[in-house]
């Protein structure tokens, strides 16, 4: 996709499909991705996400000590896909995700928060923008970044849409990088799953703030 172009908005949800960011990122087969995180860095680009051929398809821009805890997921051409921003004074470490580089409420796609304030393992709830009452979550994440594993489910069901799993190598540790795999199920927006994995990291890294 050419620089400066925007991704199409997702159409109405169809049974079995998960289109949250864009149908551009939905395919009819499982998608295996490799996520590489640079350890001990304050620079931009702390995350790189590659396809099975090793091509970088996404990266995350934003400084770890940025004032507003803001990150931007960009594609291989540098086009912004979504912006992550932590909500101030959130009791459950809520992160909001907006289309492109916007942080306007009109461009809110979804939000993610801890299901409870005190947790031994991180369990997150995901609410799409139209779900303003938040009585039931649209998706949920169970697992732990510390264990480098998680499972993403649709709502409160047992239907899995994606998983993250350990993928450490001695070489990656020596190079100061952490590597793990993400499997996205067929017809699921893989940019959405990548965004959830990044937020899981952010919530687990930021445990010292006020709840």
């Amino acid at each position: 996709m050419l620089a400066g172009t925007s991704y199409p908005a997702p159409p109405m949800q169809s049974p079995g499909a998960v289109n949250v960011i864009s149908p551009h990122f939905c395919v009819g087969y499982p998608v295996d991705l490799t996520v590489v995180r640079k350890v001990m860095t304050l620079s931009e680009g702390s995350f790189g996400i590659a396809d099975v051929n090793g091509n970088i398809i996404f990266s995350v821009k934003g400084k770890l000590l940025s004032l507003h805890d803001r990150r931007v997921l960009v594609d291989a051409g540098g086009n912004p896909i979504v912006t992550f921003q932590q909500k101030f004074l959130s009791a459950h470490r809520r992160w909001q995700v907006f289309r492109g580089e916007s942080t306007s409420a009109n461009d809110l796609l979804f939000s993610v928060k801890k299901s409870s304030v005190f947790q031994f393992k991180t369990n997150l709830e995901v609410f799409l923008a139209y779900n303003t009452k938040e009585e039931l979550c649209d998706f949920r994440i169970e697992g732990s970044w510390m264990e480098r594993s998680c499972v993403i489910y649709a709502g409160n069901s047992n239907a899995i849409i994606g998983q993250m799993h350990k993928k450490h190598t001695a070489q990656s540790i020596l190079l100061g990088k952490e590597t793990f795999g993400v499997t996205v199920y067929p017809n699921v927006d893989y940019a959405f799953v990548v965004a959830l994995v990044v937020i899981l990291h952010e919530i687990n890294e930021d445990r010292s703030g006020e709840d």
Side-chain angles (χ1 to χ4, degrees), residues 112 122-124 126 139-143 150-152 196 200:
V112 183
T122 303
N123 292 319
L124 307 180
V126 183
F139 304 93
R140 75 184 197 278
I141 305 170
E142 295 183 359
C150 76
V151 180
I152 305 169
L196 295 179
L200 173 65

Side-chain angles (χ1 to χ4, degrees), residues 114-154:
K114 292 167 64 175
S115 58
S116 61
V117 174
F118 301 105
Q119 297 180 343
F120 293 104
K121 286 191 175 183
T122 303
N123 292 319
L124 307 180
E125 295 178 329
V126 183
F127 300 95
L128 299 179
Y130 63 78
N131 185 1
T132 55
K133 291 185 178 180
E134 298 189 354
E135 293 176 350
L136 294 173
C137 64
D138 297 291
F139 304 93
R140 75 184 197 278
I141 305 170
E142 295 183 359
S144 171
W145 180 272
M146 297 302 295
E147 296 177 359
R148 300 300 186 268
S149 64
C150 76
V151 180
I152 305 169
Y153 298 92

Side-chain angles (χ1 to χ4, degrees), residues 35-36 38 44-50 55-62 71-82 84 194 198:
V35 179
V36 179
K38 297 177 184 177
E44 292 190 352
S46 57
F47 282 94
I49 298 91
N55 300 312
I56 297 295
I57 59 173
F58 300 122
S59 59
V60 177
K61 293 185 176 181
R71 313 282 183 270
V72 180
L73 181 70
V74 301
D75 65 13
N79 301 300
I81 300 171
V82 291
F84 316 87
V194 167
V198 172

Side-chain angles (χ1 to χ4, degrees), residues 12-184:
M12 293 294 291
Q13 296 281 352
S14 59
V18 177
N19 299 331
V20 176
I21 294 176
S22 171
H24 176 82
F25 302 115
C26 296
V27 293
Y29 50 84
V31 175
D32 290 316
L33 303 172
T34 298
V35 179
V36 179
R37 174 181 172 250
K38 297 177 184 177
V39 183
M40 300 295 289
T41 178
L42 300 180
S43 62
E44 292 190 352
S46 57
F47 282 94
I49 298 91
D51 62 16
V52 291
N53 297 315
N55 300 312
I56 297 295
I57 59 173
F58 300 122
S59 59
V60 177
K61 293 185 176 181
K63 296 182 179 180
L64 294 180
L65 298 180
S66 61
L67 179 62
H68 298 291
D69 279 338
R70 187 178 176 187
R71 313 282 183 270
V72 180
L73 181 70
V74 301
D75 65 13
N79 301 300
I81 300 171
V82 291
T83 294
F84 316 87
Q85 184 166 277
Q86 185 172 192
K87 191 173 182 179
F88 288 114
L89 303 177
S90 169
H92 294 81
R93 319 305 306 170
R94 182 185 292 267
W95 280 76
Q96 296 174 306
V97 180
F98 304 86
R99 185 173 303 284
E101 292 185 291
S102 173
T103 55
S104 167
N106 292 331
D107 293 313
L108 179 68
L109 291 172
F110 61 93
S111 62
V112 183
K113 71 178 184 69
K114 292 167 64 175
S115 58
S116 61
V117 174
F118 301 105
Q119 297 180 343
F120 293 104
K121 286 191 175 183
T122 303
N123 292 319
L124 307 180
E125 295 178 329
V126 183
F127 300 95
L128 299 179
Y130 63 78
N131 185 1
T132 55
K133 291 185 178 180
E134 298 189 354
E135 293 176 350
L136 294 173
C137 64
D138 297 291
F139 304 93
R140 75 184 197 278
I141 305 170
E142 295 183 359
S144 171
W145 180 272
M146 297 302 295
E147 296 177 359
R148 300 300 186 268
S149 64
C150 76
V151 180
I152 305 169
Y153 298 92
N156 289 317
S157 73
N158 292 321
I160 298 173
I161 67 167
Q163 299 185 66
M164 180 179 76
H165 49 275
K166 298 178 182 178
K167 197 175 181 180
H168 287 304
T169 65
Q171 182 181 15
S172 65
I173 294 173
L174 289 173
L175 293 175
K177 297 179 179 180
E178 294 179 324
T179 304
F180 50 96
V182 174
T183 298
V184 184

